[in-house]
Amino acid sequence: LSHPCIFVLFGGTGDLARKKLIPALFRLHAKEIAGGRFAIVAVGRRAMTLAEYAASVRPSLPDSAEEPFDEALWKLFCDRLFYFRLDFSEDVSAFQSLGRELSDLDRRFETCGNRIFCLAISPVLMKTVIQSLQDSGMIHNEDSWQRVMIEKPFGTDLESAAQLNRSLTSCLPEERIFRVDHYLGKEMIQNILSLRFGNILFESVWNREHIDHIQITSAETIGMESRGAYYENTGILRDMLQSHILQVLSLVCMDPPKALDTRSVIAEKVKVLRSLKLTENSEQRARVLLGQYGPGRIDSTDVPGYRKETMVSESSLTPTFAALKVYLDMPRWKGVPVYIRAGKRLDRKIFEIAVVFRHPKDLPRYPEFTHALPNALIIRIQPCGEILVRINVKEQDADQPVRSVVLDCSEKCICRQNSPESYERLIQEILLDHHALFTTWNELSHAWKFTEKVEAAAAKNSYCFPNYPAGSEGPKGSYDLIGQDGRHWMEETDENL
Ligand SMILES: NC(=O)c1ccc[n+]([C@@H]2O[C@H](COP(=O)([O-])OP(=O)(O)OC[C@H]3O[C@@H](n4cnc5c(N)ncnc54)[C@H](OP(=O)(O)O)[C@@H]3O)[C@@H](O)[C@H]2O)c1
C-alpha cells in the first residue's frame, strides 16, 4: 500500500492527540501503511521544541508485556514527526508559513501535496481553522488531495453545527470531509451489521412481534480528568447521546438496507434518527432524567464530586448522567421502547446494547414456561467486545421445566487500557478514501435536533444536584424510569448473564 501524505494534527498538544491519535499514528507507521512516504506535523499553540514534543507524547505509547515498546521504531517515527507552533488567532501569514513548511516536507518525503488535516480542537475553533486553510491556499484540490478529519462533537448545538458544515462544504467537496465518531471505528460496532444481517436467526425476529424492548447503557468510572472546561459546556447529552449512543441506536434499529454499501446504510440510519420520539401517543410526558455526581469512592479511593473538578463551577447544573425512554416512529418498532442510560463516575465501565425479546409467557399455550426468563442478546462494546445470547433449556431433575443459560459467542476479548485501535482504523480508512465509518451531515443534523428535544424535555423537570455519589449505579430514579413499565436494567450481575 502506498498512500503518500502529510498528517497535519491541529491540537497536537491536546489530550486527544496524546492519548489516541499519536499512538494510532505510531501503529500505522509500524505497519508502513503509507509505504514510507508519510510525515506528521503536530500543530500546537505553545512554544516547544520537537524534542520536548516527542518527550511529551512518548509516555502514551504502548509499553506492556504483550506489546513492548520498540525503541528503534520510535526513532524512525521521530524522523517523520515535526512540531509547528501556531496560534489560530494570528493572521493568515502564520498558516502560509505552515504551508511552506509542509511543501518542504513534501520534497523530503515525496508526499506529493497530499494532506490529512486533522482538527483535534474545540468545535468553536474549527471554522477559523478551515477558513485559514482556505485563505492561505492550503486547500486546492489540484494534482493532489486534501482531506479534513473532524473530531466530534461536530458543533456545540444544531445551529453551530450547521454553520460549521456550511464553512466546510464551501471550501471542500463532501467526499473530502471525514466527520469522526470514533465508536464507528470499533470492531464490535461494525459487528452489529454482521450480526443482524448475516444471521437469519436474528434478522427474522428483529421487530415488534418478537422484541419487547432495547436497552443501551454507557457507564464510565472516570470523571473529568483535564476536561472540566469542555464538559461544563457540553454535558452528557451532547457528549454521549448526540454522537455515540444515537449512532449505535441507528445501527441496531435500522431497516435492512438495499445493500451494505455506505450510501444505502446511511439512508437507513437517517430514517431511524428522523423517527426518534420521546413519547408514544398514549404517553403524556417524556421520560427523561438527569443526574450529576457528588463525592464518592471508586476503587477504594475518595474522589471529588463534579462541582469540585478543575475548571467546573461550584454551582454547575451540567448533567453527568442521563436516562431516557425513546420510541421510534417506524412500523417495525411500534410500541417497542428503547431505554438509554449514560453516566460518568459510575461503579463500572461498560458500553452495551441489550435486545430483550418477548417473554415466554406470551406463548399462551405453554404455562410451563411462565417463569422462564426472556431471551436476550447482549452486544458488549466495552470494556471487552462480547456477544452473549440468553436462551432457555430443560432443567434436569428439577421442578422448574427450564433454566436459562448464556451462550458466549465472543470470538475474542480485547481489553486494553489505552486502546487506539479505532483511531488507527479510522485514519487508515481516510488514507484509503473510504467513507463507511464516518458520519454525514444528514445524520448529525437529525441527531442534534433530537438531542435538543431531549434537553428541552429534561429542562421541564427540576433536579437537586448532585443526585448520585461517585462510584454508585447512578440516580435511583433511573431504576424507576424503567421499573414503571415492569422492566429492569439488564446488569452484568443478573442471574444467568
Ligand atoms: N480528549 C478526548 O478524549 C476526546 C475524545 C473525543 C473527542 N474529543 C474532542 O477532540 C477535541 C480536542 O479535545 P482535547 O481533549 O484534545 O482538547 P485539549 O486537551 O484542550 O487540547 C486542545 C488543543 O487545541 C489547541 N488550541 C487551543 N486553542 C488554540 C489556539 N487559539 N491556537 C492554536 N491551538 C489552540 C491546544 O494547544 P495548546 O495546548 O498548545 O494551547 C491543544 O493542542 C475536542 O473537540 C474534544 O471534544 C476529545
Side-chain angles (χ1 to χ4, degrees), residues 195-325:
L195 257 180
R196 281 197 55 190
F197 304 121
N199 293 295
I200 297 233
L201 174 69
F202 293 126
E203 193 44 28
S204 56
V205 293
W206 211 258
N207 53 48
R208 62 188 296 267
E209 301 297 320
H210 300 97
I211 291 178
D212 178 74
H213 72 281
I214 295 170
Q215 303 180 7
I216 300 177
T217 297
S218 163
E220 294 177 274
T221 51
I222 56 167
M224 289 306 119
E225 298 181 324
S226 60
R227 306 190 70 212
Y230 159 77
Y231 209 82
E232 270 291 81
N233 295 314
T234 311
I236 193 83
L237 292 172
R238 295 173 194 216
D239 190 44
M240 286 303 292
L241 179 77
Q242 188 274 335
S243 50
H244 309 322
I245 292 177
L246 292 186
Q247 277 296 322
V248 167
L249 191 154
S250 65
L251 288 168
V252 171
C253 295
M254 71 183 181
D255 279 341
K258 283 201 303 269
L260 289 180
D261 58 79
T262 307
R263 189 185 286 260
S264 312
V265 170
I266 285 176
E268 293 304 332
K269 284 170 73 187
V270 169
K271 282 188 205 161
V272 173
L273 295 167
R274 287 172 64 161
S275 82
L276 292 169
K277 300 261 178 295
L278 274 172
T279 57
E280 233 192 356
N281 293 342
S282 55
E283 276 186 78
Q284 298 297 313
R285 207 177 153 85
R287 259 191 253 172
V288 182
L289 167 88
L290 299 182
Q292 187 194 77
Y293 61 85
R297 277 177 86 75
I298 296 205
D299 293 335
S300 318
T301 306
D302 289 333
V303 296
Y306 177 70
R307 290 175 178 181
K308 293 281 180 210
E309 298 271 19
T310 316
M311 308 288 283
V312 168
S313 154
E314 295 254 342
S315 54
S316 173
L317 293 175
T318 300
T320 59
F321 181 96
L324 58 152
K325 181 182 180 184

Side-chain angles (χ1 to χ4, degrees), residues 8-11 43 86-90 92 95 98 117-139 148-150 164 167-168 171-172:
V8 186
L9 176 50
F10 291 102
V43 180
L86 189 157
D87 191 324
F88 305 144
S89 58
E90 290 172 58
V92 74
F95 275 80
L98 171 62
F117 292 116
C118 172
L119 272 50
I121 51 177
S122 157
V124 297
L125 296 170
M126 287 181 183
K127 208 171 144 211
T128 312
V129 173
I130 290 156
Q131 196 56 52
S132 301
L133 288 172
Q134 169 84 332
D135 294 347
S136 58
M138 290 165 76
I139 297 177
V148 174
M149 170 180 179
I150 300 235
L164 174 58
S167 308
L168 260 177
C171 301
L172 284 152

